[in-house]
Amino acid sequence: MRHLIDRLEQNRKLTKDEWTELIAKGADREYLFERARILAKQCYGNTVYIRGLIEFTNYCRNNCYYCGIRRDNSNAMRYRLSEEEILDCCRTGYGLGFRTFVLQGGEDGFYTDEKLEKVIRSIKMRYPDCALTLSVGEKSKESYRRFFEAGADRYLLRHETASENHYRMLHPEELTLKNRKDCLWNLKEIGYQVGCGFMVGSPGQTAECLAEDMLFITELQPHMAGIGPFVPHHETPFAGETQGTAEQTLYLIGLLRLLKPNLLIPATTALGTIRADGREAGILAGANVVMPNLSPVGVRKKYELYDNKICTGDEAAECKSCLQGRIERIGYELAVDRGDPAKEPGGNYV
Ligand code: SAM
Ligand code: FES
């Protein structure tokens, strides 16, 4: 498979058949990871960026089959943080050195555009040197524009899968791949730094689906791509399904690094959940971002997207120092700045 890995590095694209073959075989792993590390170092040196994740609501109007906080999970203990509580998380995070805050939540009708705008403005007024990322799902272009004008810099919206058929297997009818993709294009047009992404090993996913994900990422050219293994949640229709593997997730992280050398790629909590050193392995496969949790300890277990999620019992400070130790032990260091996308060696930002 080396010839395809080399071709990807040189051309930054492959055909659908080539992607499918490479992903299905998953061969020459160590070679791929070495190339991925070299490219990551050319763009980002030894640094790993850190983002403080604030899971501010687990109410959600959607019913995605894989997700533990889906609307129909009547056993989920619902919560939402107030503006004050969110600002408290930021204060703690700022003191610990975080310069990016990620506000993530279900699609919660309580947080209207007006309310979210107010939260965004308050955070940006207090912490003008910080980047603010939103991850609150599908909204109209107008809403996205309002949040941007209020000060949001980045938006994470995983496309989940770029295959129409596979999208239908993961979502109820009212959700469409077209709308998901339109949202991502709208976000890009407005000027956000945009992150897409997908789960690895979700039910029904084939190498061909993953090839389509790679083609979509080639087309969208996002600033960030978040991938993590699918992990079943016991209160969802996918409770009995098999979880994704760390091996395949790592392989795809390596491929993403070759596809876009300056891409921001998180080593996700889901990867750390299915393998004890999953996040370290993610960095060594080409990832360069970690997103420890800044949510108050009292609500963490309630933001249970999948079973056995790690880091639900630790204070933010413990999480940060644990991660810092993990990163330093593999020869990297945590960055203290906002961590915007780097220029590629050729000089391009995008
Ligand atoms: N509501 C926002 C959205 O739709 O983008 C943000 C929250 S949503 C829970 C964040 C991400 O969690 C999803 O994009 C999905 O990929 C991931 N996720 C949900 N359930 C999961 C599971 N069972 N295993 C792994 N990841 C999961
Ligand atoms: Fe949270 Fe290790 S990163 S406890």
Side-chain angles (χ1 to χ4, degrees):
M1 287 293 104
R2 278 193 188 208
H3 67 290
L4 287 182
I5 294 172
D6 290 341
R7 189 175 309 159
L8 173 61
E9 182 176 347
Q10 272 151 28
N11 300 344
R12 306 215 181 140
K13 60 178 183 208
L14 292 175
T15 65
K16 185 171 173 189
D17 286 346
E18 288 170 337
W19 276 121
T20 307
E21 188 187 352
L22 188 57
I23 292 167
K25 295 233 169 74
D28 291 310
R29 299 172 62 81
E30 290 314 317
Y31 178 69
L32 169 66
F33 297 154
E34 193 190 335
R35 296 310 310 159
R37 283 195 296 273
I38 289 170
L39 288 177
K41 285 203 175 161
Q42 279 173 7
C43 288
Y44 294 103
N46 255 6
T47 38
V48 171
Y49 292 131
I50 184 162
R51 323 289 202 202
L53 185 63
I54 304 172
E55 298 158 336
F56 73 102
T57 173
N58 73 351
Y59 283 88
C60 192
R61 67 189 172 110
N62 291 332
N63 227 353
C64 308
Y65 301 141
Y66 46 84
C67 186
I69 61 171
R70 64 200 299 272
R71 181 181 74 219
D72 279 359
N73 179 5
S74 53
N75 287 326
M77 308 231 289
R78 303 289 170 176
Y79 75 92
R80 61 172 69 89
L81 302 182
S82 65
E83 180 174 334
E84 270 320 301
E85 289 172 310
I86 295 172
L87 288 169
D88 275 347
C89 296
C90 296
R91 188 176 318 125
T92 307
Y94 195 87
L96 290 168
F98 287 84
R99 294 297 177 265
T100 294
F101 302 119
V102 183
L103 286 187
Q104 189 180 85
E107 294 192 14
D108 178 1
F110 171 86
Y111 269 106
T112 57
D113 289 0
E114 291 71 25
K115 288 198 181 103
L116 256 186
E117 272 181 290
K118 189 162 168 283
V119 175
I120 295 165
R121 286 187 205 283
S122 304
I123 295 176
K124 290 299 276 198
M125 201 175 67
R126 285 176 177 74
Y127 306 104
D129 55 332
C130 291
L132 182 56
T133 306
L134 295 181
S135 179
V136 290
E138 298 177 23
K139 307 269 175 188
S140 68
K141 189 168 185 185
E142 191 43 41
S143 302
Y144 286 150
R145 199 187 302 281
R146 287 176 65 168
F147 302 151
F148 189 72
E149 282 165 6
D153 306 276
R154 306 176 181 150
Y155 205 101
L156 301 182
L157 185 77
R158 288 186 175 181
H159 62 283
E160 310 298 359
T161 171
S163 147
E164 283 286 354
N165 286 340
H166 188 219
Y167 200 88
R168 286 273 58 84
M169 295 168 77
L170 302 180
H171 303 96
E173 235 169 74
E174 62 268 21
L175 295 171
T176 65
L177 177 58
K178 177 174 183 314
N179 195 51
R180 199 85 182 165
K181 285 185 171 174
D182 285 350
C183 286
L184 283 162
W185 289 111
N186 287 340
L187 289 160
K188 236 193 144 184
E189 210 177 295
I190 291 168
Y192 283 95
Q193 288 176 24
V194 171
C196 65
F198 54 88
M199 291 177 292
V200 177
S202 58
Q205 186 179 61
T206 60
E208 205 182 329
C209 297
L210 289 164
E212 289 186 47
D213 289 319
M214 293 309 207
L215 292 178
F216 176 64
I217 291 172
T218 312
E219 190 192 347
L220 180 68
Q221 291 290 314
H223 303 85
M224 178 164 178
I227 64 171
F230 158 74
V231 184
H233 184 287
H234 62 284
E235 296 279 359
T236 63
F238 289 165
E241 300 287 342
T242 311
Q243 72 181 24
T245 65
E247 286 64 34
Q248 194 173 34
T249 307
L250 295 171
Y251 198 75
L252 288 158
I253 287 176
L255 295 178
L256 282 173
R257 176 61 63 208
L258 267 53
L259 169 60
K260 192 169 189 312
N262 70 342
L263 192 62
L264 295 158
I265 307 175
T268 57
T269 306
L271 185 54
T273 295
I274 63 162
R275 178 172 151 174
D277 65 346
R279 286 166 298 177
E280 295 92 313
I283 305 293
L284 293 172
N288 69 326
V289 175
V290 287
M291 297 173 68
N293 205 316
L294 281 181
S295 314
V297 174
V299 303
R300 288 207 196 174
K301 271 209 173 8
K302 299 178 188 160
Y303 199 83
E304 194 191 42
L305 307 180
Y306 46 82
D307 290 341
N308 305 316
K309 190 173 161 211
I310 54 167
C311 302
T312 55
D314 305 291
E315 292 292 349
E318 292 171 77
C319 257
K320 195 207 154 191
S321 63
C322 162
L323 262 183
Q324 183 154 9
R326 288 171 182 266
I327 300 301
E328 288 173 1
R329 281 195 290 280
I330 56 166
Y332 288 75
E333 59 188 39
L334 285 185
V336 287
D337 57 296
R338 288 168 35 128
D340 289 306
K343 264 191 186 171
E344 285 188 14
N348 292 333
Y349 275 107
V350 286

